[in-house]
Amino acid sequence: MAAEGQGLVVKPMDQFVISPLFGEAQLLWYTPSNVTLWMFLTVIAVAAFFLLGTMRRAEVPGRGQMFVELVYGFVRNMVETVAGRDALKFFPIILTIFMFILLSNLLGLIPMSFTTTSHIAVTATLALTVFVSVTLLGFYKHRLGFLKLFWISAAPLPLRPVLAVIEVMSYFVRPVSHSIRLAGNMMAGHAMIKVFAAFAGILGFGAFVPIVAISAIYALELLVAIIQAYVFTILTCVYLRDALHPSH
């Protein structure tokens, strides 16, 4: 936010700028940045969640252990329900993806923090990792039989080639939608909070209205942070199911 003449310039996108951690050096691919810092803090938070929650394991779990078991059971049930029992061997990876995205989203709600999942570079890397992994798994497990995923045998024969082209196109769009959905939702909410915060700073006694709006949006963002982690993970399970069971 900056005043220029008689107007007010609000820059809600400034909070997403990637900057070097040390000095004013040129930002290169290996330069430690605020993204690097908050991704590292997310990894620490994920490790701390499981280590602290299970440090005092007992038959009658305490609150920390109960919460860890709740998350563990929730994701495990998601994998088994969506992708099948044979997908449980990949459960540790999917749990890691869920926790990384969830805690990245939640840490981004801390004032003066940085939301790594608001950047398409981060979400695209996650989405491409999932896409390439499940595609390679599909071909490894089924060889050319994986191509059955694109051949809808239940459709009338003349329509099958057309539907196959559509299926192939939709398959390669997966990482795009998978990544943009997460980044777009995280960026939009944080930008709205920034805009209302700017108005709250200039309205004086009238700041009550934007402050109430900020509180409502913040609560909504908390819900969005959880839902987006869930959506990304359940889509990962769907893609894994297609790799394990490609037949329509």
Side-chain angles (χ1 to χ4, degrees):
M1 179 181 68
E4 294 185 0
Q6 300 299 317
L8 178 70
V9 178
V10 181
K11 298 180 179 179
M13 305 307 290
D14 283 358
Q15 61 184 309
F16 306 113
V17 173
I18 301 176
S19 56
L21 285 181
F22 309 108
E24 299 298 329
Q26 182 181 1
L27 191 63
L28 302 172
W29 67 268
Y30 54 81
T31 305
S33 65
N34 47 357
V35 178
T36 310
L37 173 63
W38 284 96
M39 289 181 70
F40 176 75
L41 292 176
T42 301
V43 172
I44 296 297
V46 172
F49 174 79
F50 287 107
L51 291 175
L52 296 177
T54 58
M55 185 175 295
R56 299 178 179 178
R57 293 186 296 273
E59 292 186 10
V60 180
R63 283 177 294 182
Q65 181 181 342
M66 186 179 301
F67 194 47
V68 170
E69 290 179 356
L70 179 65
V71 173
Y72 182 96
F74 172 75
V75 178
R76 190 182 190 280
N77 183 65
M78 183 197 310
V79 174
E80 184 175 2
T81 301
V82 176
R85 291 190 62 85
D86 52 343
L88 288 177
K89 64 179 72 175
F90 304 101
F91 163 70
I93 301 173
I94 295 176
L95 177 62
T96 302
I97 292 173
F98 174 78
M99 290 303 303
F100 179 82
I101 294 175
L102 176 63
L103 289 180
S104 293
N105 294 348
L106 294 178
L107 288 176
L109 292 174
I110 299 174
M112 306 303 294
S113 67
F114 188 86
T115 311
T116 56
T117 46
S118 66
H119 274 270
I120 194 66
V122 175
T123 59
T125 300
L126 289 170
L128 282 171
T129 300
V130 171
F131 176 77
V132 172
S133 298
V134 297
T135 302
L136 292 177
L137 175 64
F139 279 109
Y140 173 79
K141 188 175 179 62
H142 303 284
R143 303 297 191 273
L144 293 179
F146 180 62
L147 297 178
K148 292 180 181 178
L149 179 65
F150 310 110
W151 189 255
I152 306 178
S153 56
L157 185 59
L159 290 178
R160 291 179 193 177
V162 177
L163 294 177
V165 173
I166 296 174
E167 287 290 318
V168 170
M169 293 175 61
S170 65
Y171 186 81
F172 283 96
V173 168
R174 283 181 174 184
V176 179
S177 61
H178 207 186
S179 57
I180 291 178
R181 181 185 294 105
L182 175 58
N185 277 280
M186 300 312 300
M187 181 179 290
H190 285 65
M192 288 181 63
I193 291 175
K194 188 75 172 181
V195 170
F196 280 105
F199 283 107
I202 63 169
L203 291 181
F205 291 107
F208 173 77
V209 175
I211 288 175
V212 171
I214 291 171
S215 301
I217 295 173
Y218 198 91
L220 179 62
E221 278 298 287
L222 181 61
L223 182 61
V224 168
I226 299 171
I227 290 175
Q228 288 305 311
Y230 169 78
V231 170
F232 193 98
T233 308
I234 201 166
L235 286 176
T236 300
C237 293
V238 171
Y239 302 157
L240 177 60
R241 180 198 63 196
D242 290 343
L244 296 174
H245 311 285
S247 298
H248 275 279

